[in-house]
Amino acid sequence: MTEDTKKAGETFDAVHIAQHLASSDNFQTLFQEGMSLVEETAMYLDGEGREEAKQLPRPASLAYATESMRLTTRLMQLASWLLLQRAVNEGEMSREQAGSEKNKVRLDKLSSSTGGPSWEDLPPTLRDLIERSSRLQERIVHLDKMLYRKAEEPVEEATNDNPVASQIDRLHAAFGKFG
């Protein structure tokens, strides 16, 4: 048995592909998706959304104002993270600098009340933008944890102890399934 071969029952070190993943074409796709969602949301909220909000009854109007503010905040935080990561990818800053700067970005404290009493009264376009931004947030949070977890934090083990399957699961969680 060579040194590279592991005996049954031994644990495998995780393949640290997060840095490669973050600078891949998949990241570029994620970046474009995030920036497009920011632009689409801004156009909606400044145009059609503003008109739709004027037509809502008072409780739904209040929910619209709250959720549009949450949506805008979420997208600005996600865009900040994406821009930091792109700066690392392009050599404009080190991963350590980005890690320090990203501490100012709040990724996992951004919520929406998608099941609240006024949710169904909100315009469908706003609900769609909120749901899409939440999915994007989940993917970015997962990638962020992969990239910036502390060295002493253990890597979650796959239930089948297959390190390749574990990495594939992480890729799907971070970037979703691209067709």
Side-chain angles (χ1 to χ4, degrees), residues 23-123:
S23 60
S24 70
D25 288 342
N26 283 338
F27 174 79
Q28 187 58 31
T29 302
L30 182 69
F31 181 86
Q32 291 298 334
E33 179 184 339
M35 293 304 150
S36 294
L37 188 56
V38 168
E39 186 177 334
E40 180 183 348
T41 300
M43 288 174 41
Y44 169 76
L45 292 175
D46 285 341
E48 180 186 341
R50 187 171 291 185
E51 295 305 313
E52 289 176 340
K54 290 177 185 177
Q55 307 301 316
L56 295 173
R58 181 125 174 90
S61 179
L62 180 59
Y64 180 96
T66 301
E67 292 304 325
S68 63
M69 188 173 8
R70 287 177 176 168
L71 173 61
T72 302
T73 301
R74 177 183 308 109
L75 288 174
M76 290 302 102
Q77 295 296 309
L78 297 176
S80 295
W81 189 93
L82 288 166
L83 288 166
L84 278 172
Q85 187 56 49
R86 185 178 73 172
V88 171
N89 293 349
E90 294 179 357
E92 296 172 6
M93 68 180 6
S94 70
R95 182 155 313 284
E96 292 74 27
Q97 289 171 315
S100 176
E101 286 297 313
K102 81 155 200 79
N103 289 330
K104 299 173 188 171
V105 177
R106 295 283 156 242
L107 292 175
D108 37 355
K109 304 238 186 307
L110 309 168
S111 64
S112 285
S113 56
T114 57
S118 297
W119 175 253
E120 291 301 321
D121 296 332
L122 294 175

